């Protein structure tokens, strides 16, 4: 993967060399990104796996039924956190692969939003959060239903985890003059303006954050949005909290579907 270097080549050869060097540069960037991702993933997995090991040791050393039940509960929580992290790592890896540009078809976001609410309903119930959905029909975009569902679920989970117990999360889908807009509003602490660009970076978490998380949810949202030529914006919600919008282009402006990875 070394760039080709020729001194004063003929014009026809120069075009080919430039094209090859451009391809080589893209491959080098892809390899560097994969190496960084693997290093970050290994680092992020080390902590929860160590915690699971310690929780297992506590379970083995439990001297009473109460201690055993408490240790088993902590072990289950640790396994759940680790499973969620692995699932999100796999989601990021899939989105980074060239296979993401699979089936491209009109996708009805209203139905996806309703199904996504069912996926996060348990989390909302556990935290006593009022999750309200408002959807207008039709709201179609061109893309891949699986990755779009991942975008919605991650947005809802992010809002639910950072909203205090007893709070409210509102999500809506509707047509705009330029396409389709997905909106998620919460009553949490909001995202400082200085952090709004960085929260889309992998493994980045806002300093001082206490809510559990992997730092991958919004990174997945941004990646899926980019693949669908959508834009993601973060603002302050009226009355406090975060307001996140994802604007998708109309079907006829979506080009040939998903962007190549």
């Amino acid at each position: 993967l070394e760039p080709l270097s020729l001194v004063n080549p003929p014009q026809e050869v120069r075009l080919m060399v430039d094209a090859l060097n451009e391809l080589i540069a893209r491959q080098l960037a892809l390899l560097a990104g994969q190496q960084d991702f693997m290093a970050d993933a290994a680092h992020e997995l080390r902590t929860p796996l160590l915690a699971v090991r310690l929780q297992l040791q506590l379970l083995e050393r439990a001297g009473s039924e109460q201690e055993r039940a408490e240790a088993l509960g902590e072990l289950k929580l640790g396994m759940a956190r680790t499973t969620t992290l692995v699932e999100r790592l796999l989601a990021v890896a899939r989105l980074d692969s060239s296979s993401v540009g699979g089936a491209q078809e009109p996708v009805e976001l209203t139905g996806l939003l309703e199904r996504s609410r069912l996926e996060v309903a348990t989390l909302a119930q556990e935290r006593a959060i009022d999750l309200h959905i408002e959807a207008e029909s039709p709201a179609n975009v061109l893309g891949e239903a699986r990755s779009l569902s991942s975008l919605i679920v991650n947005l809802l989970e992010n809002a639910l985890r950072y909203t205090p117990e007893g709070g409210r999360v509102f999500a809506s889908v509707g047509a705009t003059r330029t396409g389709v807009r997905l909106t998620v509003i919460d009553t949490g602490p909001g995202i400082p303006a200085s952090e709004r660009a960085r929260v889309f970076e992998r493994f980045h978490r806002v300093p001082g954050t206490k809510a559990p998380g992997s730092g991958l949810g919004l990174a997945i949202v941004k990646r899926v949005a980019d693949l669908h030529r959508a834009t993601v914006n973060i603002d302050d919600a009226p009355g406090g909290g975060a307001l996140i919008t994802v604007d998708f282009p109309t079907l006829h402006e979506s080009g040939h579907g998903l962007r190549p990875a």
Side-chain angles (χ1 to χ4, degrees), residues 12-250:
E12 295 82 356
V13 177
R14 182 181 295 114
L15 293 175
M16 181 183 67
V17 170
D18 290 345
L20 286 173
N21 284 343
E22 182 180 350
L23 174 61
I24 290 171
R26 290 202 303 268
Q27 292 299 314
L28 288 173
L30 178 61
L31 288 174
Q34 290 176 340
Q35 291 172 350
D36 290 343
F37 174 72
M38 290 298 294
D40 290 339
H43 175 76
E44 292 297 321
L45 279 170
R46 186 178 296 114
T47 299
L49 289 176
L50 178 60
V52 167
R53 177 196 284 183
L54 294 174
Q55 290 155 358
L56 181 58
Q57 291 175 351
L58 290 174
L59 178 60
E60 292 174 337
R61 297 172 184 171
S64 66
E65 285 300 323
Q66 181 178 352
E67 290 180 352
R68 188 174 294 106
E70 291 175 354
L72 182 59
E74 289 297 322
L75 179 59
K76 289 180 178 179
L77 288 176
M79 290 298 297
R81 286 192 291 266
T82 305
T83 300
T84 299
L85 175 57
V86 171
E87 289 174 347
R88 288 188 171 175
L89 288 172
L90 290 173
V92 171
R94 186 183 70 85
L95 290 170
D96 279 347
S97 71
S98 58
S99 63
V100 73
Q104 302 166 23
E105 57 186 3
V107 178
E108 215 285 290
L109 285 188
T110 300
L112 281 187
L113 181 58
E114 292 289 351
R115 290 192 291 274
S116 297
R117 173 172 59 176
L118 297 178
E119 290 191 39
V120 301
T122 300
L123 178 60
Q125 185 176 6
E126 289 175 350
R127 298 181 53 77
I129 293 175
D130 176 22
L131 176 58
H132 180 72
I133 300 295
E134 183 176 295
E136 301 174 9
S137 294
N140 296 320
V141 300
L142 183 65
E144 183 187 39
R146 180 180 175 184
S147 57
L148 287 170
S149 178
S150 178
L151 177 148
I152 296 173
V153 169
N154 275 285
L155 276 178
L156 293 178
E157 284 189 346
N158 184 77
L160 290 170
R161 292 188 187 280
Y162 288 92
T163 297
E165 292 189 9
R168 188 170 186 265
V169 171
F170 170 81
S172 66
V173 170
T176 66
R177 290 185 302 172
T178 57
V180 173
R181 170 170 289 182
L182 168 67
T183 303
V184 177
I185 304 173
D186 63 57
T187 55
I191 301 175
S194 59
E195 291 288 327
R196 290 175 186 172
R198 296 206 63 195
V199 292
F200 295 117
E201 298 175 6
R202 295 172 184 177
F203 306 110
H204 178 76
R205 304 192 71 205
V206 176
T209 298
K210 296 181 180 179
S214 62
L216 287 173
L218 290 181
I220 292 173
V221 169
K222 184 65 166 63
R223 177 62 174 158
V224 175
D226 288 345
L227 289 169
H228 289 80
R229 293 178 170 83
T231 58
V232 186
N233 290 294
I234 300 175
D235 208 337
D236 294 322
L243 186 158
I244 300 180
T245 57
V246 185
D247 286 296
F248 297 90
T250 57

